[in-house]
Amino acid sequence: MAFDAPTMLTLTVALAAAAALYLAVEWHNVRESPLLFWSAGFATITIGSTLALLRGSGLILIGIWLANGLLVTAHWLFLLGVARFTEARFSRAWYLVFVAWLAMLLLPDGPQWSRVMLLTNSMLVALVTLKASVLLRPHGNSLSVGAAQLRYVLLVHGLFYVAKAMTAVVPGTLIDLSAFRGLIIQVSLVEGAMALMLISLSMTGTVRWRREKRIERLAARDPLTSLYNRRALEARAGDLLKETSPARTGALLLIDIDNFKLVNDLHGHLAGDRLLISLAEILRSYLPERALTARLGGDEFVILLSDTSNESVVTLGNALRQRFNLMASQAFATPQTVTLSIGATLFDQPPASLAALIEQGDTLLYQSKRGGRNSTRVVDRTGEEAGAAGADLRETI
């Protein structure tokens, strides 16, 4: 089978239709809006390439002007999908692309008609394609392999159309759109088929990566407060704990809400959820650099600090309690005051495990609760052998 123009267009129709269907199925599964726009773009190419076959029957307006207009529309839809993926603002000025194409209807039918049509069509396609590539560029290492590949495929595809446009101004070059004659037209058909395959594969990989990252983030976050959950904290705490030394003291603060049950009983569980969310926001606002915080479950939270001191821990604990106590007293009226109890452990050697640290903090926390609540209880274990007695104990109210 010869790879003449009708054959290449038929192949393009098949590839574009398959890509449109594939991306539509992906969109139905994951509901990512870029897939919908990209699927519509490939569907538009399917229709445009089918119409392009009609130019051999003498339907010049449909087979050339409308078919190439749909090609521009398809790339504009690709750009819109990239804008949705990158969450970039899409200026309304890009709608002028269609105004420019409509103006082609005013061209007189003459010897230069094919050149002007090819020049205008190629520049419009190049413009929107290169813009899509530029939108992907600032994301750097945040891009997946698929998204990075999409950026470069769009870049090469756009530059090809720039080169294609330049051939229209070269004197003596044969360009006859109605008969598919001219080397640049033949090369363009081959490039188009290759680009379809690469772009569709890149688009699918791009959105799959985005979905996997989103699922990974959701798995690492507490759904109510958006803080790390215990599993995520354990995964991230290793490097911070390894840095612990006598010169870089670490600390773990275990935090619990006193009389939290009263808020749920008197004001409802939604009020209790609001209280937990408010505490999470307070923790974020006071979180030192390189510190980690997480919700362990219920009304229990944890902060893991690096390069700190006894005084800094006490200051942080007191600040958290004062801020929280003021907020809770203003938001919820209860017979007993809703406050915070904090148990903190300072250490200057990497602990056996994060779980062991949390267990020590848990012991201190409940000592604080038994001692009257609303306090910060700190044990300084720096300079001691693991498990040694006689730790420096401080409690602030």
Side-chain angles (χ1 to χ4, degrees):
M1 181 175 62
F3 287 94
D4 53 12
T7 301
M8 291 304 301
L9 277 174
T10 302
L11 178 61
T12 299
V13 169
L15 288 173
L21 180 60
Y22 181 56
L23 291 172
V25 171
E26 286 287 299
W27 172 80
H28 184 267
N29 291 333
V30 301
R31 297 294 176 175
E32 292 280 354
S33 61
L35 287 172
L36 189 60
F37 289 105
W38 294 336
S39 176
F42 282 112
T44 304
I45 290 177
T46 303
I47 298 171
S49 298
T50 302
L51 295 179
L53 289 168
L54 299 178
R55 71 181 66 176
S57 304
L59 300 173
I60 302 301
L61 183 64
I62 296 176
I64 298 179
W65 181 83
L66 183 56
N68 284 312
L70 290 176
L71 182 64
V72 174
T73 302
H75 286 80
W76 186 85
L77 288 169
F78 291 163
L79 171 60
L80 187 57
V82 170
R84 289 298 182 94
F85 174 77
T86 59
E87 298 179 352
R89 290 189 176 183
F90 194 74
S91 172
R92 293 183 180 179
W94 287 97
Y95 287 92
L96 294 176
V97 166
F98 300 107
V99 176
W101 187 252
L102 288 172
M104 297 298 294
L105 283 174
L106 303 177
L107 285 177
D109 188 7
Q112 298 300 316
W113 184 85
S114 287
R115 288 181 178 275
V116 177
M117 179 69 72
L118 180 66
L119 174 64
T120 305
N121 177 78
S122 298
M123 288 306 299
L124 291 176
V125 170
L127 183 65
V128 295
T129 305
L130 292 175
K131 175 63 176 179
S133 179
V134 168
L135 287 181
L136 288 167
R137 183 174 59 87
H139 292 259
N141 294 332
S142 66
L143 291 177
S144 68
V145 173
Q149 178 179 302
L150 176 59
R151 173 194 165 193
Y152 288 111
V153 170
L154 290 173
L155 176 62
V156 173
H157 188 57
L159 292 176
F160 173 81
Y161 269 88
V162 171
K164 182 179 175 181
M166 294 302 99
T167 63
V169 298
V170 176
T173 303
L174 174 62
I175 297 173
D176 186 351
L177 295 180
S178 61
F180 293 111
R181 287 192 297 170
L183 179 60
I184 188 60
I185 298 174
Q186 303 297 327
V187 172
S188 181
L189 290 170
V190 175
E191 188 276 341
M194 294 175 61
L196 282 176
M197 292 186 291
L198 291 174
I199 291 174
S200 61
L201 290 173
S202 301
M203 287 174 172
T204 305
T206 295
V207 174
R208 280 184 176 178
W209 173 84
R210 167 71 63 82
R211 182 168 179 257
E212 289 170 1
K213 285 294 182 182
R214 184 173 297 166
I215 293 173
E216 182 181 323
R217 285 196 298 270
L218 290 174
R221 297 286 178 176
D222 170 58
L224 178 64
T225 64
S226 295
L227 295 179
Y228 287 132
N229 55 30
R230 181 163 184 160
R231 178 181 175 184
L233 178 67
E234 290 175 345
R236 289 161 174 79
D239 292 339
L240 190 148
L241 294 176
K242 288 177 184 177
E243 296 176 357
T244 304
S245 68
R248 295 178 62 89
T249 302
L252 182 137
L253 287 75
L254 202 62
I255 303 164
D256 187 86
I257 301 177
D258 304 320
N259 300 314
F260 177 67
K261 187 174 183 298
L262 290 177
V263 176
N264 282 330
D265 291 345
L266 297 175
H267 300 279
H269 288 280
L270 290 179
D273 289 346
R274 292 200 306 272
L275 185 63
L276 294 173
I277 294 170
S278 297
L279 175 54
E281 292 173 351
I282 291 173
L283 295 181
R284 287 192 194 93
S285 66
Y286 280 92
L287 198 65
E289 186 178 355
R290 298 195 70 250
L292 297 172
T293 186
R295 181 188 178 199
L296 298 183
D299 59 336
E300 195 167 66
F301 296 77
V302 65
I303 294 177
L304 188 61
L305 302 175
S306 174
D307 194 14
T308 188
S309 65
N310 199 316
E311 292 72 18
S312 297
V313 169
V314 171
T315 300
L316 175 61
N318 290 342
L320 291 174
R321 288 192 298 107
Q322 291 170 11
R323 175 80 176 272
F324 176 83
N325 296 353
L326 177 62
M327 178 276 298
S329 63
Q330 293 175 343
F332 305 103
T334 53
Q336 295 174 285
T337 307
V338 177
T339 57
L340 288 185
S341 287
I342 301 175
T345 303
L346 279 90
F347 51 94
D348 59 3
Q349 298 294 330
S353 66
L354 178 64
L357 269 182
I358 292 176
E359 185 176 351
Q360 291 176 14
D362 200 52
T363 300
L364 293 171
L365 176 65
Y366 284 97
Q367 287 178 5
S368 174
K369 283 184 171 291
R370 286 195 298 269
R373 304 179 179 178
N374 189 23
S375 62
T376 303
R377 193 174 183 89
V378 182
V379 168
D380 189 344
R381 299 186 183 277
T382 58
E384 298 180 1
E385 296 296 328
D392 179 24
L393 175 63
R394 297 186 185 183
E395 184 168 12
T396 62
I397 298 176

